[in-house]
Amino acid sequence: MDSTLYTRPDTVPDPAATPVLSLREAVCAKLRAAVLDGEFGPRERLAEMRLAARFGVSRTPVREALARLLADGLIERGDGGFFVTIPNLTQLKDFYELRATLELRGIVRAVEDSSIRHNTTILIAELDRWYAMREQPPTPDPRFVVQDERFHAELSRASGNPALTDALVAVSERIRRVRMHDFLTQERVETTIAEHIEIMELVRDGRLGEGYRALHAHVGDSMTVVMERAQRAMTQMALHADRL
């Protein structure tokens, strides 16, 4: 399963026309991907020398990458160095509330303004991916969260507000380390696939009121339900900390 960061499918760079990333940018991208993909344990220190050896570079680009991730809130400074940020339940509640608000806004703005139309090309392309997954459901895997994030980002992108989508992608990254442990059963994976298809078909067909209600149910009808799921995911994260 692809565990790379979300990339807009219509903006995939042309290798022949795209300048090579600088060493600093490349190291930052690799470290960011490793952090988001759960390659470091919650209590594992991100030591400059060890990371430099891992990426085959000096400590300077590693230090700059750590500073970038610290500014983005993906890592934090602790005793003896840097560690991956793991939100506590209070922070998770805030992030989940923000995520739900951003997601639902993508549909609400089209309900409020009849001149806004969702981009059906984006919706159909994303639906095709989920139809294929429905035919051959992937096995449970924490990194299924990347596929889940892509769905929500594409649904948002189809609504036509790039800033809204960028904000959604950013907050999704902040809670990925917890949410990835919400996809450890086949039932959860298959339920997610079915709900994604239902939501996107409703939006594609212009049934925005129904689409809004389906999305609202999908991201959590109540904060109590959301937090119960998040707490279970945090428990699973602790249990599987050494298995990713």
Side-chain angles (χ1 to χ4, degrees):
M1 181 179 295
D2 179 16
S3 61
T4 56
L5 298 180
Y6 168 78
T7 302
R8 294 179 180 176
D10 64 340
T11 58
V12 175
D14 177 359
T18 303
V20 177
L21 287 177
S22 70
L23 180 62
R24 178 180 59 190
E25 292 168 331
V27 171
C28 186
K30 290 177 182 178
L31 181 57
R32 185 184 191 88
V35 167
L36 289 173
D37 288 347
E39 294 183 20
F40 301 109
R43 293 174 296 279
E44 182 177 353
R45 187 166 67 90
L46 304 179
E48 287 182 11
M49 290 185 64
R50 188 162 61 246
L51 292 173
R54 171 176 176 153
F55 299 130
V57 298
S58 70
R59 294 171 63 179
T60 298
V62 169
R63 190 176 299 119
E64 293 173 346
L66 289 169
R68 288 271 297 277
L69 267 63
L70 179 66
D72 289 344
L74 296 178
I75 64 174
E76 60 190 13
R77 196 185 300 273
D79 293 337
F82 294 101
F83 299 85
V84 174
T85 300
I86 306 297
N88 59 40
L89 283 176
T90 299
Q91 293 168 325
L92 276 175
K93 182 177 183 296
D94 292 341
F95 285 137
Y96 270 94
E97 184 177 2
L98 176 58
R99 175 175 174 256
T101 300
L102 292 169
E103 294 208 43
L104 294 169
R105 182 62 196 168
I107 295 180
V108 170
R109 65 190 303 267
V111 172
E112 293 176 345
D113 185 346
S114 60
S115 70
I116 294 176
R117 296 284 188 275
H118 280 77
N119 186 318
T120 55
T121 300
I122 294 173
L123 298 178
I124 291 170
E126 187 63 13
L127 265 172
D128 286 343
R129 287 195 335 108
W130 290 90
Y131 287 149
M133 279 189 262
R134 183 172 61 185
E135 291 301 313
Q136 294 185 310
T139 56
D141 185 334
R143 291 172 180 82
F144 181 76
V145 71
V146 176
Q147 307 298 335
D148 179 80
E149 287 178 14
R150 171 169 171 167
F151 166 84
H152 291 284
E154 288 296 272
L155 179 61
S156 174
R157 190 167 73 92
S159 75
N161 185 332
L164 199 63
T165 304
D166 289 345
L168 175 60
V169 169
V171 73
S172 295
E173 288 183 348
R174 296 290 297 274
I175 58 177
R176 181 187 294 182
R177 284 296 300 267
V178 175
R179 291 193 64 247
M180 67 194 304
H181 296 278
D182 192 26
F183 297 102
L184 300 181
T185 68
Q186 195 66 40
E187 179 184 9
R188 177 70 175 128
V189 170
E190 293 183 9
T191 297
T192 297
I193 293 170
E195 291 179 357
H196 282 183
I197 290 173
E198 177 191 16
I199 293 164
M200 200 159 265
E201 285 180 338
L202 289 170
V203 175
R204 177 202 61 189
D205 296 342
R207 297 159 64 185
L208 299 182
E210 294 173 75
Y212 175 90
R213 289 188 289 275
L215 180 59
H216 191 282
H218 177 68
V219 298
D221 278 321
S222 71
M223 191 54 64
T224 300
V225 172
V226 169
M227 294 314 298
E228 286 176 355
R229 179 176 293 169
Q231 194 155 15
R232 287 197 301 269
M234 290 184 76
T235 300
Q236 290 296 324
M237 180 177 66
L239 293 173
H240 293 79
D242 300 323
R243 303 182 195 177
L244 290 179

